[in-house]
Amino acid sequence: MASKAKTMYFCQECGYESAKWLGQCPGCRRWNTFVEEKVTVSAKTKEKSKCAGGNVPTRLFDISTKEEERLTTGMEELDRVLGGGIVKGSLSLVGGDPGIGKSTLLLQICRNMSNAGRKVLYISGEESLRQIRMRAERLGTFEKELYLLCETDMELIESAIENSEPEMVVIDSIQTMCSEEISSAPGSISQVREITGRLMVLAKKKNTAIFIVGHVTKEGVVAGPRTLEHMVDTVLYFEGERHASYRILRGVKNRFGSTNEIGVFEMRKEGLIEVQNPSAFMLSGRPLDASGSAVVCSMEGTRPILLEIQALVTPTSFQLPKRTAVGIDFNRVSLLMAVLEKKAGLHLGGCDAYVNLTGGMKITEPAMDLGIIMAIASSYKNKALDSKTIVFGEVGLTGEIRGVFQAELRIREAKKMGFKRCILPYSNMEGMIEPEKLGMDLVGVTNVYDALKHL
């Protein structure tokens, strides 16, 4: 039976499908996001349902509950984000800005696994074999179990994976792959969705771990339909400033582990190097006894990380004061400044305020509220907070300081980094069994007014 070609309209943001063009997408409510694509409906899909055989239902009690074997990547930071290693038969999506180091990270994983005797296949649709070899020479020594393939045809890629039977496959990138069954151009919504679905079936069928690289849009999300992230097992985002030395790998979705873990790397000429102590890395070069500076402790999964919050408050020469926040939610900063005006009597309405989370990280944890409050008040009063003091706590609209989780773990991390005093919510002190064994001077505060007395 001959194939039929018809015209469909897809939303570039969420992948919503419509038979006609719409000004506003009913799915994501965005305007002018529909694009026209020609879709070819093949008769093969109808014939497959008539074929006998295939999978049969299995009783729940017949399925083994033994923990799935994981493949170690040779990088502890990456294994932490993945939940202990790569799960066989999983499909993972790695996204990030251009030039951030996605291909470098995956090539280093391929090197570590091939050096451990595992068969790895690296498929590139953007670089030639010679270009990949030149980049690989910079990263170190590679063993013979790493195979390269430069191809964009999905049918040929499927054949290569089935014939070589590798333990791990890297697809760089999903936007360059295409299938002859879809008439639209490579990178279109139809192509990306079709190829991802076929890779998912192939990963489960061959029990092969597959990593796919996805480009991101200017908003910082993976290009293509939103269903792409729902189809894969793991979604990893590679963050950081392109011209800075650090990189942060964050798990946005993980069916086999926690989504709160992060991995910290440093980009060097020999590749990505793991940062074993992110707190020392983030606090390096911190000014001591300077006004407008406060050190807070944020929890990223099971790991506490010390960060410095800097604030600069100056009288404005304009009618409307300027507010700027980098690495912190702007609305949260505005809310905390309103609390300072109402509950602490600081007249910030005639001042410009600039708040920055050093190190380039982006944190939204409420435990940093008290650090933001202390940094803004310190700059406004031009009084420095003791350089050996760490603060954390959530601030409410009435000025109260609320408790945060895992306070003892945060205090131990600060103790290890040489801090002597900790300003924390009073409710957290009440919940501690033996606070004197923590080895730090603990100062419990109940509201913003009490906290500002320690400037």
Side-chain angles (χ1 to χ4, degrees):
M1 182 181 291
S3 300
K4 288 184 177 181
K6 62 178 182 179
T7 300
M8 298 294 294
Y9 295 86
F10 295 92
C11 174
Q12 293 177 304
E13 296 293 333
C14 66
Y16 186 89
E17 182 178 338
S18 174
K20 62 180 181 179
W21 186 87
L22 299 174
Q24 185 184 36
C25 174
C28 61
R29 316 301 297 177
R30 301 291 292 271
W31 289 90
N32 300 323
T33 58
F34 275 86
V35 293
E36 179 183 356
E37 291 185 12
K38 290 184 178 181
V39 180
T40 302
V41 181
S42 177
K44 294 181 180 179
T45 56
K46 298 180 180 179
E47 296 174 358
K48 288 181 180 179
S49 61
K50 300 179 182 179
C51 298
N55 292 332
V56 294
T58 305
R59 290 189 304 176
L60 175 65
F61 293 99
D62 294 338
I63 302 174
S64 174
T65 57
K66 184 180 180 181
E67 188 174 353
E68 185 70 26
E69 179 186 358
R70 293 178 181 263
L71 307 175
T72 58
T73 63
M75 306 176 75
E76 294 182 2
E77 293 293 303
L78 178 58
D79 289 339
R80 177 198 297 270
V81 178
L82 292 175
I86 303 173
V87 177
K88 290 184 177 181
S90 62
L91 181 62
S92 303
L93 172 65
V94 181
D97 295 330
I100 202 69
K102 303 184 295 295
S103 300
T104 301
L105 175 66
L106 292 174
L107 196 57
Q108 287 188 234
I109 300 173
C110 295
R111 181 198 63 184
N112 295 340
M113 296 189 66
S114 63
N115 291 352
R118 300 186 182 276
K119 194 173 184 179
V120 181
L121 176 60
Y122 189 97
I123 303 173
S124 177
E126 300 177 344
E127 297 176 288
S128 65
L129 296 177
R130 183 178 179 84
Q131 290 174 329
I132 300 175
R133 177 60 187 271
M134 292 172 59
R135 187 156 52 89
E137 291 178 349
R138 178 171 52 90
L139 301 178
T141 305
F142 284 72
E143 297 296 335
K144 298 180 180 180
E145 290 302 315
L146 176 59
Y147 295 83
L148 303 180
L149 175 65
C150 293
E151 186 58 64
T152 58
D153 193 319
M154 188 58 198
E155 284 72 21
L156 297 178
I157 291 174
E158 285 181 325
S159 177
I161 295 176
E162 292 181 354
N163 294 334
S164 58
E165 296 185 351
E167 294 189 61
M168 174 181 165
V169 177
V170 174
I171 306 292
D172 189 8
S173 66
I174 190 66
Q175 276 82 12
T176 60
M177 305 300 161
C178 63
S179 173
E180 292 182 354
E181 297 181 5
I182 306 295
S183 59
S184 57
S188 62
I189 294 176
S190 301
Q191 288 281 7
V192 171
R193 184 162 51 186
E194 170 70 14
I195 292 172
T196 304
R198 292 168 67 171
L199 288 173
M200 179 179 63
V201 173
L202 190 61
K204 310 303 179 186
K205 175 183 175 183
K206 306 295 292 185
N207 199 28
T208 301
I210 300 179
F211 281 81
I212 57 178
V213 177
H215 297 308
V216 298
T217 62
K218 60 182 180 180
E219 287 82 13
V221 298
V222 176
R226 195 67 179 178
T227 53
L228 178 64
E229 297 188 8
H230 298 298
M231 295 170 68
V232 300
D233 298 314
T234 308
V235 180
L236 305 176
Y237 274 92
F238 216 30
E239 304 173 354
E241 295 293 335
R242 182 177 180 181
H243 302 289
S245 61
Y246 64 90
R247 300 288 188 270
I248 298 171
L249 184 66
R250 189 182 304 274
V252 179
K253 172 187 176 182
N254 192 354
R255 288 174 178 163
F256 314 111
S258 173
T259 56
N260 296 322
E261 299 288 354
I262 67 168
V264 184
F265 300 87
E266 183 181 2
M267 177 64 80
R268 298 181 184 176
K269 62 179 181 179
E270 61 270 17
L272 291 165
I273 307 298
E274 300 176 75
V275 178
Q276 300 293 343
N277 191 348
S279 297
F281 183 76
M282 295 297 175
L283 294 181
S284 60
R286 179 173 67 99
L288 302 179
D289 298 324
S291 62
S293 175
V295 178
V296 298
C297 186
S298 173
M299 291 297 301
E300 292 294 332
T302 59
R303 167 189 287 176
I305 299 180
L306 301 186
L307 302 166
E308 181 193 5
I309 296 178
Q310 292 183 342
L312 179 62
V313 180
T314 59
T316 183
S317 56
F318 301 98
Q319 186 175 2
L320 294 176
K322 188 175 182 179
R323 304 280 191 263
T324 302
V326 179
I328 308 172
D329 183 23
F330 174 79
N331 295 326
R332 192 70 182 175
V333 173
S334 300
L335 182 149
L336 295 175
M337 292 184 66
V339 172
L340 279 174
E341 286 209 42
K342 183 73 174 180
K343 301 299 179 180
L346 302 186
H347 302 290
L348 302 174
C351 298
D352 294 332
Y354 308 90
V355 182
N356 176 41
L357 182 62
T358 60
M361 293 188 66
K362 297 179 181 179
I363 305 295
T364 58
E365 190 188 12
M368 296 197 308
D369 290 353
L370 187 57
I372 298 173
I373 288 283
M374 299 295 283
I376 293 175
S378 172
S379 179
Y380 178 81
K381 295 183 176 183
N382 199 24
K383 294 182 179 180
L385 186 66
D386 183 30
S387 60
K388 295 296 182 179
T389 300
I390 184 175
V391 297
F392 59 82
E394 182 181 355
V395 179
L397 291 180
T398 60
E400 80 280 8
I401 308 297
R402 296 177 175 268
V404 298
F405 69 99
Q406 295 183 335
E408 294 186 18
L409 192 59
R410 301 173 195 256
I411 295 173
R412 290 192 179 95
E413 178 69 13
K415 171 68 176 178
K416 185 173 66 175
M417 295 300 300
F419 287 84
K420 304 297 183 183
R421 187 174 67 157
C422 177
I423 301 176
L424 72 162
Y426 186 77
S427 58
N428 281 127
M429 289 190 60
E430 292 180 335
M432 295 182 185
I433 301 176
E434 296 178 333
E436 62 277 359
K437 289 187 177 181
L438 296 175
M440 289 188 66
D441 180 18
L442 303 182
V443 180
V445 293
T446 57
N447 53 60
V448 172
Y449 185 78
D450 291 339
L452 297 184
K453 293 179 181 179
H454 299 281
L455 282 177

